[in-house]
Structures are given as C-alpha cells and as structure tokens.
Amino acid sequence: MNENCLFCRIAAGEIPSSRVYEDETVLAFRDIAPQAPVHVLVIPKTHISGWSAAKDADDALLAHLVRVAAEVAEKEGIAASGYRVVSNCGPDAQQTVPHLHLHVLGGTEMKEQMA
Ligand code: AMP
C-alpha cells in the first residue's frame, strides 16, 4: 500500500467509498463525480501507478481487473444497453489519480467521439 495514494487508502478502507464489488485483489466503487448515470471505478488493491507500470504487474491480476469491469456492467444492468470501459494514462489523457483504474460508464447513449 502507498500511504500517499488516494485509491490505496480507499482500498484499505481509510477513505469511505460506495463499493459495488470486492474480492481479494480487486475493488469496484462509484466515482465521486459521475460522468454518466452509472460510473464505477475498478482498481487493483495493490498499487500500480498506471498502464506504463502495468508491464511489471501480474498477468492474472490484469485479466481479472478487465473481467470484473464486465461483471460490474452486468450487475449495474448496463451490459445489454452498452457501456464504455475507459482508462486514462498520463497527463495528456488527464489521469488525475496515479493508481491504475478502469472507468465503467453507462446508462445513457454516448456520443461517438473517443476524445
Ligand atoms: P482519472 O482522472 O482517470 O485519473 O480518474 C480518477 C477518477 O477518480 C475521477 O473520475 C474522480 O472523479 C474519481 N475520484 C476522485 N476521488 C474520488 C473518491 N474519493 N471516491 C471516488 N471517486 C473519486
């Protein structure tokens, strides 16, 4: 755990969050400033700063993270209507929290553009 990392502290329960899924290695919780009717963040509990650091991470953990994103979409009732899984990496992408996370966004029809 990185004491200075917001998402590490959320994973440790030091900062409250609205949890929608949790297991030993992955946590999903609602984004505090939702950009869509459903906006859930999926994070590994261990600290990985972003995709550039993910090359050193466990393959099974990364695969599990993606699977949990799909499970969250099912659980939130947006799997059939459609959803986006977005992950920002670095300054140009506006990553604001340097702990790897997937945004699961849905519950509304989104615009075509990706950026
Ligand atoms: P990113 O900008 O891609 O790094 O995403 C970080 C996300 O974390 C943003 O969508 C924020 O709204 C969200 N966020 C920041 N603080 C919290 C918090 N305490 N609980 C839940 N979500 C948060």
Side-chain angles (χ1 to χ4, degrees):
M1 164 164 179
N2 181 338
E3 287 293 341
N4 298 317
C5 172
L6 173 65
F7 286 176
C8 280
R9 296 186 66 200
I10 285 177
E14 291 178 11
I15 292 174
S17 65
S18 176
R19 297 177 180 223
V20 301
Y21 175 91
E22 182 171 12
D23 62 32
E24 274 184 18
T25 57
V26 168
L27 172 66
F29 54 96
R30 297 196 190 284
D31 196 292
I32 204 165
Q35 304 291 312
V38 174
H39 188 172
V40 174
L41 301 173
V42 185
I43 66 166
K45 287 186 172 178
T46 54
H47 186 76
I48 301 168
S49 60
W51 286 111
S52 303
K55 64 183 188 319
D56 300 321
D58 181 56
D59 287 353
L61 173 61
L62 295 175
H64 185 51
L65 192 73
V66 174
R67 253 187 221 110
V68 168
E71 274 177 37
V72 164
E74 287 276 354
K75 229 176 148 187
E76 293 290 314
I78 56 170
S81 52
Y83 59 96
R84 278 196 182 139
V85 179
V86 175
S87 190
N88 300 319
C89 186
D92 278 1
Q94 309 293 333
Q95 181 181 8
T96 58
V97 179
H99 180 124
L100 185 64
H101 52 281
L102 305 178
H103 297 255
V104 178
L105 297 146
T108 188
E109 190 175 345
M110 288 172 226
K111 300 196 176 81
E112 260 180 46
Q113 76 265 18
M114 294 297 290

